[in-house]
Amino acid sequence: TITHLLETYCAAGLGGVEITSIYGVKGQEARSIDYLSPAWIDMVQHAVAEAHRLGMEVDLPPGSGWRIGGPFITDDTSAARLWIERDSQDSSYRAECRPSDEQVKRAGPGGAGRSFNPFSSASLQAVIDYFTPHLQSLGIRTQFHDSWEYDSDCCPEFFARFRSMRGYDLHEHLAAFAGEGDTDLVSRVRYDAQLTLAELALDDFINPWTAWCHQLGQLSRNQAHGSPGNLLDLYAAADIPETEIFGGIEADTPLISKLASSAAHVTGKPLVSSETGTWLDEHFHVTLSALKQAVDNLFVSGINHHVFHGTAYSPPEAAWPGWLFYASTQLNPQNTIWRDVGALNAYITRCQSVLRDGRPDNDVLVYFPIHDILHDPQRQLAEKVTVSGDWLQGLWAADLFQSLWHRGYSFDYISDRQLQETETEGHALVTPGGVYRAIVVPPCRYLPVETLERLGDLSDHGAAVVFLAPTPADVPGLANLRERRSSFERLMQRVQVTTDIEPALAALDIRREPLADVPGLLFIRRRRDAGRDYFVANQGPDPIDAWAPLSAGFTSVLIMDPMSGRTGAAQTRGQIDSEVRIQLEPGASLILRAFADRVVPAGTWCYAAPGTPSYPLPGPWRVEFIEGGPVLPPGYTTDALASWTDRGDEAERFAGTACYSLRFDAPFQQQTWLLDLGVVHSSARVRLNGEMVETLIGPSFRTILHGVKWTGNLLEIEVTSLAANRIRDLDRRGIQWKIFDDINMVNRAYQPFDATEWPTVPSGLLGPVRLISVG
């Protein structure tokens, strides 16, 4: 079964798998294999061997379920919570770190137990000692650590480490630590505690965990979000920083995703990944189109390695819909969207081959003011910094981040630690992974003296350092406050401040990318020796047909459509600010390969002629249901395209594929046409005269037809629906398909799953189908 599944995944274009051992299926307990047992090791080794045979890789987390831990964790190494009590006699405080009973979430058989402590080097050593004998023989590519889902907020060595890191005894300020007394003192003491935990998470967990991976001949892949530290440092500590989109795309999603890609760019990590598709929509409502939109949003943010979430193991004999993961997206062979997922995977592969080539091409470093976050006295101890953008709105710096993004300035964030590793070469700022032309310090409240000193050193050595008003007014934390403030005030006297970022960047000859002026268009740019590559995506509601200048001059531009694989020479015009013509339907994307000093021989890119009349293909259409269930409805012929659910019970509960066929004559003698399918629910394979044309996943369903005959053409369109209507039918008929242990099935709000009241989801080809002349 494992071999069959891996072959299925490989055939669909997946380059590897992540094995996460979670809870089992009710009634199938006899088939359970205990985590880390000899039988489990054999199964994983078999999966790794078969994956390698197929040219695939395997990743594996150190632990079952979520949170590292297991039966080996004891009171001394467990997750822990800080406990503070006021003495009733003299009102003094006492505090201690107490072990908690925090458990591994959704563990599989044999993997249950208590959570380890992510702030404790002793606890990590217990993890290393326990897992090394098992993991060192598996041949996996990467160890994977999921997003921070720990509730610990201290460790047994917390007070000693605090004293060594911060320079004073926290016990002397327990009242302030508990939130009582002078507001400024409370803020500083609590900041010092937050900063200590942030540094412990990095220095006592992620850094040594990565070193352990390397000792085993493995890479580390880490989701830093959710942790209470500086996400830039935690992402950068792994070989593969990984972000995610949880629940859908929001306005600030790219600014959050850029934390992971910035860490990769600044420190020179070639891969930066994403957990892609988690809860993008309700179960069985996620379309390939929605997945593509999420993928594109991540691409423009700098992500070049996608990991789908999730693809649960299910044996062939399991009744439909098989064994499932509790979280959407159900990207597995049982789900109807799997039929055309290969088109999405081929698209991602083409894009990633470009987005991993060359070098990042960002001009500006933007200091990330983590101290404004940690210095908030209302912040809970070890409060999580998530992929949700809510926390971003509380930063003074947020307006600058958003302005640079929307105005088309290419930038990476940089942390305090990463600034210490930044050097100058001439006027350039050089990090371990990139070369930049300026660093911008956004509006912020607090700035460490060490960071201010480093910025001054870089400026003294020729680097452009731009402070944007309002400038920081103070240092964070409590220790040596008078001395640090004195140094801070002296250093700030040398700082030149601007109130408008764009003139300041223009004075440094840093040009914004005019592509940002095209409504709805998002982009990312990469540098090659011969020129630059642009990935551009229309994430707006309207079609784009625009002449857009590129910030870098070019001699020629090659357009590549990563969805179809088509290429062609772009239309260009202009002398100084050379422009390229970009034509994109909503949701579509292109790659522009700009060559600095040569004209690449290629055929002309096929643009749709604006204002050209369209020619409807009205029918009659023959519709045959060819794949899916619970049964295949009877076929029919129609002149009026509409949702097949309108045809009654069997069609209403059907999920799968129907073939729409039509014989037509061309409007006039021309071999190349643009075919527009209109509305499709939810993907379509197009054939012309028996030859495959393209698989379309939307949201725009257009393709180029070549070889159209004047008369007697046969157009066949295989349309695949979502599985939602079939799931709705199962629940309405009381069929027990939710058979999983632990969390079982929940809806997007994490409430019990019930599809009985779902409205019927439209399915099939709704049209209108048209031919459009191209030129």
Side-chain angles (χ1 to χ4, degrees):
T1 300
I2 289 175
T3 294
H4 171 73
L5 283 173
L6 287 171
E7 289 174 345
T8 301
Y9 299 157
C10 182
L14 295 178
V17 294
E18 171 195 314
I19 300 175
T20 300
S21 298
I22 58 173
Y23 54 86
V25 176
K26 293 177 181 178
Q28 300 292 326
E29 289 79 7
R31 302 178 67 166
S32 294
I33 302 174
D34 280 354
Y35 180 66
L36 296 185
S37 66
W40 186 91
I41 294 290
D42 287 345
M43 281 291 191
V44 173
Q45 288 177 333
H46 171 76
V48 171
E50 288 297 271
H52 289 171
R53 176 180 65 83
L54 296 166
M56 304 170 73
E57 297 287 354
V58 176
D59 294 356
L60 188 79
S64 174
W66 281 258
R67 299 185 183 131
I68 298 175
F72 63 96
I73 294 294
T74 66
D75 277 356
D76 293 335
T77 56
S78 73
R81 301 303 299 267
L82 191 64
W83 178 83
I84 302 178
E85 181 182 55
R86 183 196 292 269
D87 189 281
S88 60
Q89 301 297 319
D90 60 10
S91 297
S92 63
Y93 280 90
R94 64 188 181 96
E96 62 178 309
C97 187
R98 293 180 175 178
S100 77
D101 196 39
E102 180 178 287
Q103 300 289 306
V104 174
K105 294 169 62 178
R106 326 220 202 287
R114 297 163 74 180
S115 168
F116 103 117
N117 192 319
F119 303 113
S120 169
S121 59
S123 185
L124 179 65
Q125 189 60 50
V127 171
I128 292 173
D129 292 343
Y130 184 75
F131 282 105
T132 293
H134 305 293
L135 297 185
Q136 65 186 357
S137 63
L138 295 181
I140 60 174
R141 177 191 74 150
T142 302
Q143 283 191 43
F144 166 61
H145 180 252
D146 209 330
S147 55
W148 192 281
E149 299 189 19
Y150 306 97
D151 293 327
S152 287
D153 59 12
C154 72
C155 60
E157 58 267 39
F158 174 71
F159 289 100
R161 295 298 300 277
F162 182 99
R163 186 168 51 251
S164 65
M165 291 176 169
R166 306 281 80 86
Y168 66 95
D169 191 338
L170 182 58
H171 288 96
E172 297 175 359
H173 296 281
L174 288 181
F177 183 56
E180 297 181 5
D182 177 74
T183 302
D184 185 63
L185 179 62
V186 168
S187 176
R188 293 181 182 282
V189 171
R190 291 185 65 82
Y191 162 84
D192 282 341
Q194 303 276 14
L195 184 63
T196 299
L197 290 174
E199 292 175 353
L200 290 175
L202 178 64
D203 295 331
D204 287 29
F205 174 21
I206 300 299
N207 275 330
W209 167 64
T210 294
W212 172 47
C213 292
H214 294 171
Q215 291 172 5
L216 299 182
Q218 301 158 4
L219 300 175
S220 63
R221 177 162 63 91
N222 180 45
Q223 295 185 357
H225 46 276
S227 62
N230 192 327
L231 300 190
L232 290 171
D233 294 330
L234 290 159
Y235 280 130
D239 298 303
I240 306 175
E242 180 164 300
T243 187
E244 69 176 289
I245 290 179
F246 189 92
I249 298 170
E250 301 174 353
D252 287 334
T253 294
L255 298 177
I256 304 298
S257 302
K258 279 179 69 66
L259 289 165
S261 65
S262 293
H265 295 163
V266 167
T267 60
K269 309 294 170 61
L271 295 179
V272 53
S273 62
S274 167
E275 176 189 306
T276 300
T278 308
W279 286 120
L280 199 57
D281 206 332
E282 186 55 85
H283 286 289
F284 304 103
H285 282 74
V286 178
T287 64
L288 294 177
S289 170
L291 279 167
K292 179 187 181 297
Q293 298 259 52
V295 164
D296 288 351
N297 194 277
L298 289 159
F299 278 151
V300 300
S301 307
I303 308 304
N304 62 11
H305 183 26
H306 287 274
V307 182
F308 287 132
H309 199 286
T311 306
Y313 164 88
S314 184
E317 66 272 15
W320 193 90
W323 298 0
L324 301 175
F325 188 45
Y326 74 90
S328 171
T329 296
Q330 297 295 346
L331 204 62
N332 57 55
Q334 303 94 262
N335 196 350
T336 53
I337 65 173
W338 183 267
R339 189 175 196 265
D340 290 332
V341 76
L344 175 62
N345 289 338
Y347 166 80
I348 292 173
T349 299
R350 294 184 186 108
C351 291
Q352 289 182 169
S353 67
V354 173
L355 296 175
R356 296 179 188 178
D357 190 26
R359 304 175 298 282
D361 192 28
N362 295 333
D363 297 315
V364 179
L365 288 168
V366 178
Y367 171 72
F368 187 77
I370 187 65
H371 309 283
D372 281 12
I373 298 174
L374 300 183
H375 222 286
D376 180 0
Q378 303 303 314
R379 179 181 173 81
Q380 297 297 309
L381 189 62
E383 186 172 320
K384 296 174 173 63
V385 182
T386 67
V387 288
S388 169
D390 296 344
W391 58 268
L392 188 65
Q393 299 307 314
L395 291 178
W396 282 3
D399 287 345
L400 175 69
F401 299 161
Q402 292 161 350
S403 175
L404 292 174
W405 175 256
H406 293 302
R407 291 290 290 161
Y409 289 97
S410 295
F411 68 93
D412 282 322
Y413 303 114
I414 192 167
S415 73
D416 301 84
R417 286 196 182 206
Q418 292 161 2
L419 270 173
Q420 299 300 328
E421 298 179 352
T422 301
E423 303 293 342
T424 58
E425 290 184 7
H427 295 293
L429 288 148
V430 181
T431 73
V435 179
Y436 301 84
R437 302 176 62 188
I439 180 168
V440 174
V441 180
C444 56
R445 293 176 170 87
Y446 300 98
L447 191 68
V449 166
E450 298 82 1
T451 300
L452 188 54
E453 288 176 336
R454 186 62 187 146
L455 291 168
D457 289 343
L458 293 171
S459 178
D460 290 344
H461 286 83
V465 180
V466 180
F467 278 78
L468 191 64
T471 56
D474 206 347
V475 294
L478 180 63
N480 302 317
L481 184 57
R482 180 179 298 177
E483 294 85 350
R484 289 188 297 121
R485 275 178 167 166
S486 177
S487 299
F488 178 86
E489 291 168 359
R490 173 178 51 82
L491 291 167
M492 283 300 296
Q493 291 175 1
R494 301 175 53 199
V495 169
Q496 295 183 349
V497 183
T498 184
T499 58
D500 194 343
I501 189 62
E502 291 205 40
L505 295 179
L508 297 171
D509 197 30
I510 296 175
R511 300 180 61 189
R512 70 186 191 88
E513 190 62 65
L515 286 171
D517 294 338
V518 180
L521 192 69
L522 299 180
F523 73 93
I524 189 169
R525 187 182 68 212
R526 289 185 68 86
R527 181 186 294 270
R528 294 175 294 104
D529 291 341
R532 287 178 170 84
D533 291 334
Y534 292 81
F535 173 85
V536 296
N538 180 6
Q539 295 225 320
D542 301 315
I544 291 173
D545 191 347
W547 287 95
L550 304 181
S551 63
F554 59 84
T555 300
S556 63
V557 177
L558 192 68
I559 294 180
M560 296 181 283
D561 175 10
M563 184 58 71
S564 67
R566 290 190 295 267
T567 62
Q571 293 181 7
T572 60
R573 70 181 188 187
Q575 296 296 321
I576 300 176
D577 292 322
S578 297
E579 297 178 329
V580 59
R581 187 182 179 191
I582 299 173
Q583 196 173 71
L584 283 170
E585 288 295 304
S589 52
L590 293 171
I591 292 169
L592 310 177
R593 174 152 286 185
F595 294 87
D597 54 9
R598 64 190 178 100
V599 176
V600 177
T604 303
W605 180 254
C606 196
Y607 291 89
T612 300
S614 62
Y615 301 91
L617 297 178
W621 294 89
R622 180 59 190 168
V623 184
E624 296 286 347
F625 293 91
I626 60 174
E627 182 179 310
V631 297
L632 298 180
Y636 60 95
T637 300
T638 183
D639 288 322
L641 292 172
S643 174
W644 70 52
T645 59
D646 295 345
R647 303 195 66 82
D649 290 344
E650 291 301 335
E652 184 177 283
R653 64 193 182 110
F654 174 77
T657 305
C659 181
Y660 293 72
S661 57
L662 170 76
R663 294 197 174 272
F664 73 95
D665 298 336
F668 49 85
Q669 195 164 359
Q670 178 175 298
Q671 289 193 337
T672 301
W673 292 86
L674 176 65
L675 175 68
D676 186 344
L677 298 184
V679 177
V680 176
H681 294 287
S682 70
S683 63
R685 297 181 184 180
V686 179
R687 288 196 303 272
L688 176 67
N689 298 325
E691 298 291 330
M692 182 63 184
V693 176
E694 187 178 355
T695 298
L696 305 175
I697 64 173
S700 177
F701 291 86
R702 290 185 164 196
T703 188
I704 300 293
L705 298 181
H706 296 286
V708 177
K709 299 182 291 185
W710 196 352
T711 60
N713 295 285
L714 174 61
L715 180 64
E716 296 170 290
I717 305 166
E718 293 182 1
V719 178
T720 299
S721 71
L722 298 177
N725 292 338
R726 189 172 176 185
I727 292 292
R728 171 180 178 267
D729 174 67
L730 289 179
D731 274 5
R732 288 165 72 94
R733 291 192 288 124
I735 304 298
Q736 293 302 313
W737 60 275
K738 290 167 274 189
I739 53 174
F740 318 106
D741 291 330
D742 197 88
I743 194 172
N744 213 321
M745 293 296 288
V746 291
N747 63 20
R748 210 175 181 205
Y750 277 70
Q751 298 301 310
F753 183 94
D754 182 6
T756 56
E757 299 301 318
W758 281 0
T760 303
V761 174
S763 303
L765 177 63
L766 277 62
V769 181
R770 303 175 299 151
L771 291 177
I772 302 172
S773 180
V774 294

